[in-house]
Every structure is written in structure tokens, then in C-alpha cells.
Amino acid sequence: MENSLMSLLFILLLLATMLNLARLWRPMAQGEFFSSALLYIAVITFVTILVVRTSTGGRIPFANSYEFTLLFSGGVLLFAIFVRRGLDSPLFDLTVGLVAILLLSVAGTFSSEIRPLMPALQSGWLYAHVATAVIAYGSFALAACLGMVYLARTGESGLSLSALDERIYKLVVGGFTFLTIVIITGAVWAEEVWGSWWSWDPKETWSLISWLVYSAYLHARRSYNWKGQKSAWMVIIGFAIVIFTLFGVSLLLPGLHSYL
């Protein structure tokens, strides 16, 4: 059943992608309504997948790369419902759908087998660490999507450029706060499992790099009034670093987190 639901989720996202490409080409009556409807149905499908997987495995699906990437993609879709309020932008809807498709495609490269938790993962810190990571990275993903809308300057978003910039800023503040918690919970968990708060494992190191990039964004905005195009580019580059941290590091720089 899970495979069928995953296929349905892909189809919904592909339909949304085609719809929003058409909306970019030519505005259409009820286009925003159908885009919203597809997003809501996709979120309901995602929640159903989680329920099925939880019921099958007897645990919340927080334990491996497949499950985290699934949660990440679903989080992006869920948070987009709130972020897009007052925002009538086919480009935003398109980029959100493409990010979700990318993440689900990456998830498809990992094993979806449901296995018992290994000893290192049998900790309450697992849930705190993963949940905050989904919120942090989902916020950064949506900030990057809004950054693309800002750079496109379509004038059809329903929001002024200053309002878009402020919405990007709020997403980064929220994402940065939760990324800080991700790093702290990861350090506490590492000390519990490996006996060391920090080991300069590649995943830890690149998480710190991501944190520093968004720190630079916040510092530049407050101290040098970096707004507009500069800030939009920074959040897009920051999200690219997040993607490398999550997936590129695992492929190119294996370390203590590789078993995930």
C-alpha cells in the first residue's frame, strides 16, 4: 500500500508541476484554486503514508535516510500551505513542487525496508533531533523558493518585494533557531552514544557550515542592511549547502552518520 501511495504522491506533484508551468505561461481562471487543491491532497497523501508506515513498522518513521528524506519532503509541502497564504505565485508553487519531487526522487535511492532500530538509534534524542531538522531544513527550503520568486520579480505574487523579503527573513530566523537546536541535540546524543560531544565527523562539520552561512545572512541583514537581491541569493546558496550536507556528504565524505 505504501508504494501505491508514493506513486500517487508523485503523480499529484507532477500534475501540480505541469499546472504551475502552464500558469507561468498563461494566467488561467481558477489556476490558484487547483494548485492549492493539489497541494492539500498531496499533504493528505503524505500523512497517510506516515500512518501506514508507522502502523507497519510499529514505530514513528524517523530512523533512516529514506524516512528522513520522506519527512523532509512532506514537511516542505505542509509548511508551504502556511507560507503561501496571501501569495498568489505560480513560481512559488512550482519551485515547492520541484523541491518535493527532488527529495522524493532521492528518497527512492535509499532502502525503504522497515528494520528494527539499531542500538545507537534507540534514544529519545532521535525524535528531537530529526523533528527539529525537518522544521529547520523545511524552513530553509521555503525561504529559497521565496528567494527565487523575489529574483524573478514577476509582480504577480500578490505581495510587494519588501513583504517577500520580510517573509524570507522570518523563515530564516525560524530555520536558524531550529538548526541550532538540531546541532545541540545532535551533540548531546553523540555524547550519549559515542562518548564525545563533537568529533568533526563530515556531517557534523557541514551542519556547522550551514549554520555559519545562515548566521552570516542574519548578521549581514542586521549589521549591513543586506536585503533584496543579496539576501535572496544568500538563502538560495544556503539551501544548496543544506542539500549537500544532507546528501552529498553521505556520498562523498562517509563518516559516523553513514549507516543512516
Side-chain angles (χ1 to χ4, degrees):
M1 183 178 181
E2 182 180 339
N3 290 336
S4 298
L5 289 169
M6 285 291 289
S7 298
L8 173 60
L9 184 55
F10 260 107
I11 291 170
L12 290 168
L13 293 174
L14 289 172
L15 287 173
T17 298
M18 291 186 288
L19 171 65
N20 289 309
L21 280 172
R23 291 176 66 204
L24 280 175
W25 179 259
R26 178 181 298 177
M28 59 182 69
Q30 303 299 316
E32 198 277 337
F33 170 79
F34 287 116
S35 182
S36 297
L38 287 170
L39 176 59
Y40 278 100
I41 297 170
V43 169
I44 292 170
T45 304
F46 161 72
V47 172
T48 305
I49 291 172
L50 290 188
V51 171
V52 169
R53 192 167 181 87
T54 300
S55 176
T56 303
R59 59 171 176 78
I60 302 175
F62 274 32
N64 53 43
S65 294
Y66 171 83
E67 292 173 351
F68 174 77
T69 310
L70 179 62
L71 287 169
F72 184 9
S73 61
V76 169
L77 294 174
L78 178 61
F79 301 156
I81 290 176
F82 302 98
V83 173
R84 70 193 295 275
R85 287 181 176 176
L87 182 70
D88 182 10
S89 172
L91 181 58
F92 177 75
D93 292 346
L94 175 64
T95 53
V96 167
L98 290 175
V99 168
I101 289 173
L102 170 65
L103 293 174
L104 289 174
S105 298
V106 172
T109 67
F110 300 126
S111 172
S112 62
E113 179 185 357
I114 300 177
R115 292 168 292 187
L117 291 176
M118 60 174 56
L121 299 179
Q122 294 175 10
S123 169
W125 290 109
L126 167 68
Y127 302 103
H129 188 63
V130 173
T132 50
V134 168
I135 296 172
Y137 296 144
S139 298
F140 293 147
L142 293 173
C145 292
L146 286 179
M148 293 179 188
V149 174
Y150 189 98
L151 292 174
R153 295 176 178 269
T154 61
E156 299 172 357
S157 67
L159 291 177
S160 67
L161 290 177
S162 61
L164 273 177
D165 185 74
E166 185 65 21
R167 194 167 291 194
I168 291 169
Y169 170 69
K170 289 179 179 178
L171 281 167
V172 173
V173 169
F176 180 79
T177 302
F178 279 97
L179 180 58
T180 303
I181 299 173
V182 170
I183 293 173
I184 293 171
T185 55
V188 175
W189 187 15
E191 198 280 331
E192 179 183 280
V193 175
W194 297 318
S196 174
W197 298 91
W198 193 268
S199 59
W200 294 105
D201 173 75
K203 187 79 77 173
E204 294 174 350
T205 302
W206 276 90
S207 293
L208 179 59
I209 291 172
S210 298
W211 186 87
L212 290 172
V213 168
Y214 287 104
S215 294
Y217 165 89
L218 295 173
H219 175 70
R221 186 180 178 94
R222 283 185 169 272
S223 301
Y224 302 103
N225 200 34
W226 271 33
K227 296 182 180 181
Q229 287 189 346
K230 289 180 180 179
S231 93
W233 277 114
M234 283 190 75
V235 295
I236 291 171
I237 292 169
F239 183 60
I241 293 173
V242 164
I243 291 297
F244 180 77
T245 300
L246 292 176
F247 307 118
V249 170
S250 299
L251 293 174
L252 302 176
L253 303 169
L256 293 171
H257 291 76
S258 299
Y259 62 84
L260 296 176

